[in-house]
Amino acid sequence: MPPDTLSDSPESDVTSAVTFKDTELTLGIPGEPTRSPAGKFCTKRGFIETVDLNLRTSTSKPRGKTHADEVDDKSDDVVSGACKTPASKTQVVGWPPVRSYRKKALESCKYVKVAVDGAPYLRKVDLETYNSYQELLMTLEKMFTCFKIRGNYLGESKVIDPMKEMEYVPTYEDKDGDWMLVGDVPWKMFIESCKRIRLMKSSEAVGLAPRTPPRCTTTT
Amino acid sequence: MREERTEMSKDDDRSPPLDLRGADIAESSSKTRNCVTGSGHVTGLNPMEFQAPYPDQVLENVLENVLQFLTSRRDRNAASLVCKSWCRVEALTRSELFIGNCYSVSPRRATARFSRVRAVAIKGRPRFADFNLMPPEWGAHFAPWVAALGSAYPWLEKVYLKRMSVTDEDLKHLAEYFPCFKELVLVCCDGFGTRGLAVIAKKCRQLRVLDLIESEVAESDMDWIGEFPECGMTCLESLIFDCVESPINFEALERLVIRSPSLKKLRLNRFVSIGQLYRLMVRAPQLTHLGTGSFSLAEGVAHGDQEPDYESAFAACKSLVCLSGFREITPDYLSAIYAVCANLTSLNLSYANINAEQLKTVIFHCHKLQTFWVLDSICDEGLQAAAATCKDLRELRVFPIDAREDSEGPVSDVGLRAISEGCRKLQSILYFCQHMTNAAVIAMSNNCPDLEVFRLCIMGRHRPDHVTNEPMDEGFGAIVKNCKKLTRLAVSGLLTDQAFSYIGRYGKLVRTLSVAFAGDSDLGLKYVLEGCPRLQKLEIRDSPFGDAALRSGLHHYYNMRFLWMSSCRLSPQGCREIARALPRLVVEVIRDEADVIRGECEEHIDEPFDILYMYRSLERPRDDAPNFVTILH
């Protein structure tokens, strides 16, 4: 079971940092060339590179909240043309027949809790309001402004020294109860499987081997 | 014709027969009743309208004493048809009044006929309105009822409303008119807010039951819980407010619970954290029904800080049989409920996004479970676990966590089959899925002969059997054929007229039928209207049934509570024909609000419409219809 405790003394980073350097984790979907952008301190790819990679390969689209019940598709369901074959995937008003009360209630249960190591408070986010990892992370950064989230600045090549600064790696617990690194899977798959998010101290992220979808093999 | 009258289903609230001549009977009986006063004594003649005691009077008194014992609505309706005398006496002894359609009879007429009512139940909007198929503000206002009830039944104790529009003002009147008021149950209602609740809490000193179920409660900053009287014990037995989407004054609630030793049912809303739940549970270990609220920590509280012993709180509730809530569940806390699982007869996890593993830890203890509501996040595997343990299951509802046509579909025919094999006593099922097979549905029809309610929602429209690629006709056909007690059916998936032929041929007890995106031609609807003599409620959307099919039901519409048809192949002309053929039917056509605004002000009677909603009524068409409703004649 993943650790739930948030507080951790900073001193422990010193000892773990030694092994961290040596581990040289590689991330990403096997098959993709592991890139080592110039200027990076360690071979572990920064978060944002991972995100970029996934965005190219994924078909993540905005979740189409506009297709929700509010849209009046009834112009399609005019008297004379009742029997439609579902050529398009547009959502039809009132179908499936789930009451809006229940739909709303389930939305709020789809809110995901965000914890940050060292912070005494939790926050909640509705993943469906974001369209990409970048958007999510920017929001998280705003929520927890005193914590620097690694790799959050798009385009900047940051030199990150995990020993000096308190860097946090976004991780999440998926449907199966496993703790994963945020960014590994396509965005759409992520929002469907993410149960909660934890911004883990970089030093602790050492032990977190990247998991990939079952059909792929992982290299460490 | 007479035989059909006596076979009216128990949903029928009054005795008017097919041709509604009964309306006259009801009128005249109330006149002659004046000479027998409310007390029913032989000697108690109204001095204003003296009439010599008639021979039947002794018989009537005997009858009155006997009819007191009739509780079933259906039996009472039958008794009231025997003769005028029986009708009169039955009306005197009916204490529970059920109005299945608030527009089928006027408040004045209902209160005139039944003079000693203590409990009233009224249903309003059609069910398909729940799914945003109709503009809001269609009607079903409680206001005219509360006024009539107020003058007719000052001793009124119970009000049950479903799909009605209730305002704060109405609630205020309720509290004012009825000093003995004891029970208020609002199901799927709207139009009121916490202000109305505050008045009820404050003024109804004998309140035993305040149940708000799936109702929309307008938010305001009114602390309604705090309005319950602060001193002395309350008689509160049931307090259900899990649908209230605004925070409550927890301290006031805690004090209320402490002062309510009779409290048996408590269902909290999602603004009550697990820590607060604990505090309430230790105060009320006598609870039988508990809705847990959020079942997670309050925002801002970190896990691990000295937390109370939730397990012991649950263990102390030895009478707990019904558990629900889990609105924002932190699955780690599920283990707290293990102690009560063995006694549970009802478990509602339908707001809890948990997986199969998490469910298994709970369900394996639930040997006595009879009612189980759950989200499809538990997958087929979770259903298999339930099937393995819950041998006494009577009612199952599996809701979709992602209610869209093209979503993942974690449950399927596999889960359905497993349930059918494990839960042989199943009586009622509601099952949302993406894919289904005829074989699994047929299996259920064979394994579960006690089924009375079968509602299968294959979320993809027109989707065939995903293995054979055939329509789902055979599956549903098997259900109507093999499940001899079936009274309610909802169909989905790819269905041809053949499916409806089966329903018409075998569905002799079916009272409620829901159809969506199904059928090929008018024949489909014809089969049903001609074949199902008990049909009371028929709701159809997006199916190719036209005027000819509508005509084929003329012989039956007076027997039905309502017919809803939206986005079918009806024409205004066809509907008008029905209205003219059946004068006691109210034929409403409902258009899109936007169309109405754009169009002209007068009745655009020949323009296409979206919805046909028709129902029998003893009254003239209602006068509170909004502008998007046209009543045909």
Side-chain angles (χ1 to χ4, degrees), chain A:
Chain A
M1 284 297 283
D4 268 334
T5 51
L6 299 177
S7 51
D8 232 342
S9 61
E11 284 74 33
S12 62
D13 286 346
V14 180
T15 42
S16 54
V18 175
T19 47
F20 177 64
K21 256 199 267 184
D22 299 338
T23 317
E24 291 195 18
L25 291 172
T26 54
L27 297 175
I29 301 168
E32 301 279 358
T34 333
R35 304 178 325 171
S36 233
K40 273 291 180 181
F41 176 66
C42 62
T43 54
K44 183 174 171 182
R45 281 180 303 160
F47 176 81
I48 216 65
E49 286 79 35
T50 321
V51 171
D52 277 342
L53 210 68
N54 285 317
L55 286 181
R56 252 187 272 118
T57 55
S58 82
T59 52
S60 59
K61 280 197 295 246
R63 263 232 164 165
K65 270 194 107 126
T66 50
H67 289 167
D69 294 345
E70 287 73 48
V71 172
D72 190 6
D73 273 345
K74 280 199 268 192
S75 49
D76 290 338
D77 295 343
V78 146
V79 169
S80 51
C83 206
K84 302 168 51 145
T85 44
S88 63
K89 291 284 188 184
T90 32
Q91 304 293 334
V92 169
V93 173
W95 187 262
V98 176
R99 290 206 189 106
S100 45
Y101 164 75
R102 177 169 285 280
K103 278 200 187 130
K104 262 186 253 163
L106 285 178
E107 263 168 35
S108 73
C109 96
K110 283 209 231 173
Y111 270 58
V112 157
K113 288 187 184 156
V114 184
V116 176
D117 287 359
Y121 56 93
L122 301 171
R123 298 299 301 267
K124 268 191 187 169
V125 291
D126 179 2
L127 294 178
E128 306 221 357
T129 59
Y130 308 105
N131 296 321
S132 66
Y133 283 113
Q134 267 128 320
E135 278 182 37
L136 171 65
L137 286 165
M138 285 206 253
T139 309
L140 291 183
E141 207 208 17
K142 284 194 203 113
M143 277 183 175
F144 299 97
T145 50
C146 39
F147 301 102
K148 194 175 291 179
I149 302 171
R150 167 188 258 239
N152 204 26
Y153 300 93
L154 182 58
E156 270 181 52
S157 67
K158 277 190 72 164
V159 175
I160 300 147
D161 182 353
M163 285 162 65
K164 299 268 174 60
E165 292 175 355
M166 215 71 74
E167 286 292 332
Y168 289 82
V169 176
T171 65
Y172 72 100
E173 186 185 12
D174 74 357
K175 270 198 272 213
D176 304 321
D178 298 322
W179 283 88
M180 321 276 287
L181 276 162
V182 170
D184 276 356
V185 301
W187 173 251
K188 196 162 185 236
M189 200 187 298
F190 169 70
I191 34 182
E192 273 170 18
S193 58
C194 171
K195 289 304 193 64
R196 50 181 161 167
I197 294 174
R198 179 181 160 203
L199 302 181
M200 200 183 278
K201 289 209 187 114
S202 305
S203 48
E204 277 192 43
V206 171
L208 200 72
R211 305 281 173 92
T212 48
R215 57 185 175 276
C216 307
T217 52
T218 311
T219 55
T220 25

Side-chain angles (χ1 to χ4, degrees), chain B residues 43 59 87 103 156 164 210 218 229 252 256 266 278-279 351 353 386 405 407 432 460 486 530 548 579 591 610:
Chain B
T43 50
L59 181 62
C87 184
Y103 288 121
L156 193 70
M164 298 283 292
L210 179 56
L256 179 64
L266 180 63
Y278 175 84
R279 281 163 64 179
Y351 295 101
N353 186 356
E405 283 186 75
S407 61
F432 282 85
L486 197 76
E530 288 168 1
R591 293 185 169 86
D610 297 306

Side-chain angles (χ1 to χ4, degrees), chain B residues 384-604:
Chain B
Q384 286 164 330
T389 316
C390 308
K391 296 303 174 190
D392 217 14
L393 199 66
R394 312 292 164 108
E395 179 180 324
L396 173 68
R397 297 198 191 188
V398 181
F399 293 96
I401 192 162
D402 192 0
R404 292 175 305 147
E405 283 186 75
D406 50 356
S407 61
E408 225 179 276
V411 300
S412 68
D413 47 286
V414 172
L416 190 75
R417 190 187 281 273
I419 290 289
S420 79
E421 285 165 5
C423 310
R424 299 298 177 112
K425 298 191 194 167
L426 201 63
Q427 291 171 356
S428 169
I429 183 165
L430 170 64
Y431 197 88
F432 282 85
C433 59
Q434 288 290 350
H435 304 285
M436 187 47 60
T437 62
N438 281 305
V441 178
I442 293 169
M444 178 159 270
S445 78
N446 288 318
N447 292 335
C448 306
D450 290 340
L451 271 179
E452 294 171 25
V453 174
F454 184 78
R455 299 160 68 189
L456 176 63
C457 182
I458 302 169
M459 291 192 276
R461 290 170 285 156
H462 310 286
R463 208 165 273 170
D465 178 322
H466 76 96
V467 167
T468 65
N469 239 11
E470 281 171 10
M472 291 299 299
D473 298 341
E474 296 307 311
F476 286 103
I479 290 286
V480 283
K481 191 168 174 197
N482 299 334
C483 303
K484 311 254 193 278
K485 304 181 189 174
L486 197 76
T487 54
R488 183 171 181 181
L489 180 65
V491 301
S492 60
L494 180 65
L495 292 169
T496 71
D497 288 341
Q498 179 60 38
F500 297 98
S501 162
Y502 287 139
I503 296 172
R505 208 188 312 167
Y506 299 111
K508 296 305 176 188
L509 295 184
V510 171
R511 286 204 302 269
T512 307
L513 179 63
S514 306
V515 178
F517 305 100
D520 300 320
S521 72
D522 284 343
L523 272 182
L525 181 53
K526 266 183 155 178
Y527 287 138
V528 169
L529 289 171
E530 288 168 1
C532 301
R534 296 285 175 98
L535 197 60
Q536 292 267 297
K537 301 182 248 185
L538 182 55
E539 41 190 32
I540 304 173
R541 65 166 293 183
D542 296 275
S543 300
F545 306 136
D547 297 341
L550 196 63
R551 240 177 273 126
S552 66
L554 278 170
H555 68 289
H556 189 64
Y557 293 135
Y558 277 159
N559 282 339
M560 292 177 61
R561 189 169 312 161
F562 70 81
L563 168 67
W564 165 297
M565 285 177 71
S566 59
S567 305
C568 295
R569 294 214 176 128
L570 302 172
S571 74
Q573 185 54 41
C575 297
R576 212 178 308 138
E577 262 181 58
I578 305 293
R580 290 189 181 148
L582 300 173
R584 291 288 196 170
L585 214 61
V586 175
V587 179
E588 296 191 10
V589 298
I590 300 162
R591 293 185 169 86
D592 193 289
E593 228 170 353
D595 289 340
V596 175
I597 294 165
R598 278 200 300 270
E600 292 137 22
C601 293
E602 63 262 25
E603 275 182 26
H604 24 163

